[in-house]
Amino acid sequence: MTKSSEIFYRELKERLDECHTWPTNYLFKFIVENTKEKRNELKSFFDSKALSLKERISSNSKYVSFTISVKVPSADNVIKIYKSVSKIEGIISL
């Protein structure tokens, strides 16, 4: 991990801990290219964990946005999910 990403995740953890009481239902939002492969790859990270999962296809059908609610025990778990999902090529985390 680069120094800048270490700083980013440390600051993210601090902000998450300031704003949330753990455990909590956390809302993740992502955008991926609208292909079956990308959609399934993202969904696979949340198969048994998602309390809800909503998909919305963009007006030009090129992208799909996901809103996924997951019960997480801590800020560290939120960061772990973001890091895992970031391995999907072209994903945008919101």
Side-chain angles (χ1 to χ4, degrees), residues 25-49:
N25 295 341
Y26 188 82
L27 203 60
F28 291 91
K29 293 189 177 207
F30 303 102
I31 298 172
V32 293
E33 188 178 354
N34 187 14
T35 66
K36 185 177 180 179
E37 177 185 294
K38 296 285 185 186
R39 292 168 78 163
N40 288 340
E41 189 176 1
L42 179 58
K43 287 180 190 178
S44 72
F45 285 96
F46 298 97
D47 279 339
S48 62
K49 296 176 236 147

Side-chain angles (χ1 to χ4, degrees), residues 5-22:
S5 63
E6 285 177 27
I7 293 168
F8 171 79
Y9 285 116
R10 185 178 66 241
E11 291 175 354
L12 176 59
K13 180 180 179 349
E14 290 171 7
R15 285 193 306 270
L16 289 169
D17 283 335
E18 288 173 5
C19 297
H20 297 281
T21 302
W22 307 105

Side-chain angles (χ1 to χ4, degrees), residues 70-84:
V70 178
K71 184 157 188 137
V72 290
S74 69
D76 290 326
N77 289 86
V78 171
I79 291 168
K80 181 178 177 183
I81 291 170
Y82 276 125
K83 286 180 178 180
S84 297

Side-chain angles (χ1 to χ4, degrees), residues 39-67:
R39 292 168 78 163
N40 288 340
E41 189 176 1
L42 179 58
K43 287 180 190 178
S44 72
F45 285 96
F46 298 97
D47 279 339
S48 62
K49 296 176 236 147
L51 300 173
S52 68
L53 187 148
K54 296 177 185 174
E55 297 178 52
R56 184 166 182 247
I57 298 173
S58 66
S59 59
N60 64 6
S61 298
K62 188 173 180 179
Y63 298 98
V64 61
S65 64
F66 284 84
T67 302

